[in-house]
Structure formats: C-alpha cells, structure tokens
Amino acid sequence: MKLPHYQIAAIKPLGTNQEIEDFLRASGVWPQAKHRLEEIYYYVQDDHGRRKDFFAAGWLNEFGQWQVAAPKFTGALCRPALTIIPGTDNESWLFDTVFDYLRHPEITTTKAYIIILNTPKLLQAALSKAKSFTSSRTFFNNPLHDT
C-alpha cells in the first residue's frame, strides 16, 4: 500500500475560509481555535500527475508536521505524533484530541504543559512524557459516558 504524499500549498490564518470556520463552529471550538489553529491548504498528486486539493484546520505536532481536521478527514499529513504546548507549571494535562483541548474551559488560564495524543496509538508516548512532571491530569473522552 502506497501512502499519499501530501504537499502544503498554503497556510493562512483562520477566518479566510467559510467552510473551515463553519466546521469549527459546528464542532464547538471556534472561539478558542481562532488563536491556536490555522487554515492548511494541501494537495496530493497521483502517479499520473492528477492533483487533488484539500483544505482543513491545522496545528503542528511535536515534529513540526501538520495534523489536520476537516468534516471528512482528521489525521496527520505525515507520520502521526503528539502535539505539545509548553507550559511553565510542573504539571501536564493530557488530551485525546485538539478539539478536546480547545473545549476545555481553562485553556486560557492554565500554565500546564499540554500533551495532545492526536491518535490513541500514541497513548504510551504521552504517558512517558507525562511521567517527568510532578503531577498530571488526563482529560480523555470516554465514549461510554457520552449521551
């Protein structure tokens, strides 16, 4: 199986693409996303030179690569990795997704080190990073309790 090779065409501040804004509003993260995510325009080209263009809200992971979210796709444009938002406290907060982080009511006031999994496969990596802090809090989505 050949993995797609995505190319970044443009990176813009949020607010220039109504479809991305509508998606973020419907997801309940628009006010917080405005200052933390960007609009990512990217494409993939097949072996015959046919190009398919995409756009999404995006954020960088710990390797400086883009994670993206759109109505029909959420994932990495490269190898999946954690997203790290440095803090000044000796506490870490762990989140499943960037949307879970953006929905948290204390994101504008916390000084905790933020670790976002971006994929459940990175749980062990996140827990390993969290061990270096005096305390850690987890904010994982529990689908058994969703209504």
Side-chain angles (χ1 to χ4, degrees):
M1 180 173 132
K2 183 178 175 186
L3 294 174
H5 182 69
Y6 295 103
Q7 297 292 323
I8 303 295
I11 300 167
K12 298 179 182 180
L14 281 181
T16 65
N17 184 305
Q18 192 62 50
E19 287 181 60
I20 294 173
E21 182 177 334
D22 292 345
F23 168 66
L24 295 172
R25 285 185 186 280
S27 299
V29 299
W30 174 251
Q32 298 80 9
K34 287 192 295 187
H35 307 290
R36 292 172 178 85
L37 305 183
E38 299 186 61
E39 293 177 5
I40 309 303
Y41 296 83
Y42 59 101
Y43 64 91
V44 65
Q45 199 162 348
D46 68 17
D47 294 335
H48 302 290
R50 292 177 294 227
R51 178 173 156 161
K52 184 153 185 173
D53 292 287
F54 304 93
F55 56 83
W59 61 97
L60 291 172
N61 65 31
E62 67 182 326
F63 298 130
Q65 300 294 317
W66 290 102
Q67 303 282 146
V68 296
K72 295 182 181 180
F73 175 73
T74 297
L77 298 186
C78 60
R79 184 181 70 173
L82 300 170
T83 293
I84 305 297
I85 302 168
T88 56
D89 286 353
N90 196 9
E91 176 180 39
S92 65
W93 288 10
L94 283 72
F95 293 89
D96 281 332
T97 70
V98 75
F99 283 12
D100 293 333
Y101 162 69
L102 292 171
R103 287 186 192 107
H104 194 279
E106 296 176 42
I107 67 167
T108 58
T109 59
T110 187
K111 293 183 173 132
Y113 188 93
I114 304 299
I115 302 169
I116 301 168
L117 273 62
N118 292 317
T119 176
K121 294 176 185 176
L122 295 173
L123 177 60
Q124 289 305 315
L127 293 174
S128 291
K129 283 196 184 292
K131 285 181 184 177
S132 65
F133 293 88
T134 304
S135 66
S136 294
R137 295 172 64 189
T138 58
F139 301 94
F140 293 149
N141 185 14
N142 186 343
L144 297 177
H145 296 283
D146 286 350
T147 54

